[in-house]
Amino acid sequence: MADQNTPAGEGGPPKGIPALKAHVIANKVDVALWGIRLLTVLCTIGYVLPLFNNPISAFYKALLANAATSALRLHQRIAPREIALSREFLARFFLEDSAHYLFYSLIFMNVAPNLLILTPIFLFALLHAASYSLTILDTLGQNSMWVARLLISLVEFQSRNILRAAALAEIMLFPLVVIMAFFGHCGLLTPFVYYYSVTWRYASRRNPYTRNTFRELRVLTERLAASPKAPGPLRDALLAAVRLACRMAPPDQVQQ
């Protein structure tokens, strides 16, 4: 096994605990993001498997952790000197994916716990935490914790499917929120507010998976409606749902 505390000049840059300490000092925000994302993952697991804690408490802690992650990412993406009370700044602010998920957490802080709400933030936290965990392990040494490296490789190998699953959860959450509003599990304004959150995700410049998933669902729905085996009322309902979704989509994206 390679020496975990290799000094500089003897086989590459220093590794081990001293190198990890130096990395933490030099990358405080990134390490904090990594830790909070791990907390998001653990809280979500604690909500699903409430063996040692209250599942309701774990649900809201996961949302708070996601809000903290989003706030730190906004701090990285937008310098304090660029903050201003102007239309241009607000337009830029709402283009940031981190702003979308900050509002996502705020929207659901007063909603009855539901696993589908945690699914997108859990998947994003898992993917990003796994990616940075590899950086941490590389700092400790190339041969450190090979089992953890294998698990991280599995997560990164499925990254596209993870992002598609997160996008699908965001979309499926909208009808669920409408149903929850009818049954009193959330406020009557929550579906309207979440609708704007979905449109922000649809128009995201950095993450096209929500937009692509909408397109895939539209193709699938139209294919089902065109099937000769589909009853007439079902065909009309499917096509009406497609037309409604197209009208609700951001205008510039519909034009494209």
Side-chain angles (χ1 to χ4, degrees), residues 54-69:
N54 185 334
I56 297 177
S57 175
F59 174 85
Y60 292 111
K61 286 179 180 177
L63 287 177
L64 285 173
N66 179 69
T69 301

Side-chain angles (χ1 to χ4, degrees), residues 90-213:
L90 289 177
R92 179 189 173 188
F93 180 83
F94 286 112
L95 287 176
E96 295 290 341
D97 288 8
S98 301
H100 305 166
Y101 279 101
L102 176 60
F103 280 96
Y104 183 95
S105 293
L106 298 178
I107 290 169
F108 293 111
M109 283 304 298
N110 293 318
V111 172
N114 188 285
L115 180 59
L116 191 59
I117 295 174
L118 294 184
T119 299
I121 63 176
F122 166 77
L123 293 174
F124 279 115
L126 177 65
L127 187 59
H128 290 295
S131 178
Y132 200 79
S133 293
L134 193 60
T135 302
I136 297 294
L137 293 178
D138 288 340
T139 304
L140 290 173
Q142 293 294 330
N143 297 324
S144 60
M145 301 183 185
W146 64 270
V147 176
R149 289 179 180 274
L150 177 61
L151 295 175
I152 292 170
S153 299
L154 292 175
V155 172
E156 293 189 333
F157 181 73
Q158 295 295 328
S159 61
R160 292 176 62 88
N161 291 331
I162 290 174
L163 292 171
R164 291 179 66 187
L168 182 61
E170 294 170 358
I171 296 169
M172 293 296 103
L173 186 56
F174 181 70
L176 176 63
V177 170
V178 175
I179 295 172
M180 292 174 67
F182 276 112
F183 286 93
H185 296 300
C186 66
L188 293 177
L189 292 179
T190 303
F192 298 97
V193 178
Y194 185 64
Y195 161 72
Y196 285 102
S197 176
V198 174
T199 59
W200 294 336
R201 301 302 304 136
Y202 185 93
S204 173
R205 297 179 302 175
R206 302 183 63 200
N207 185 349
Y209 284 92
T210 300
R211 186 164 56 254
N212 293 341
T213 303

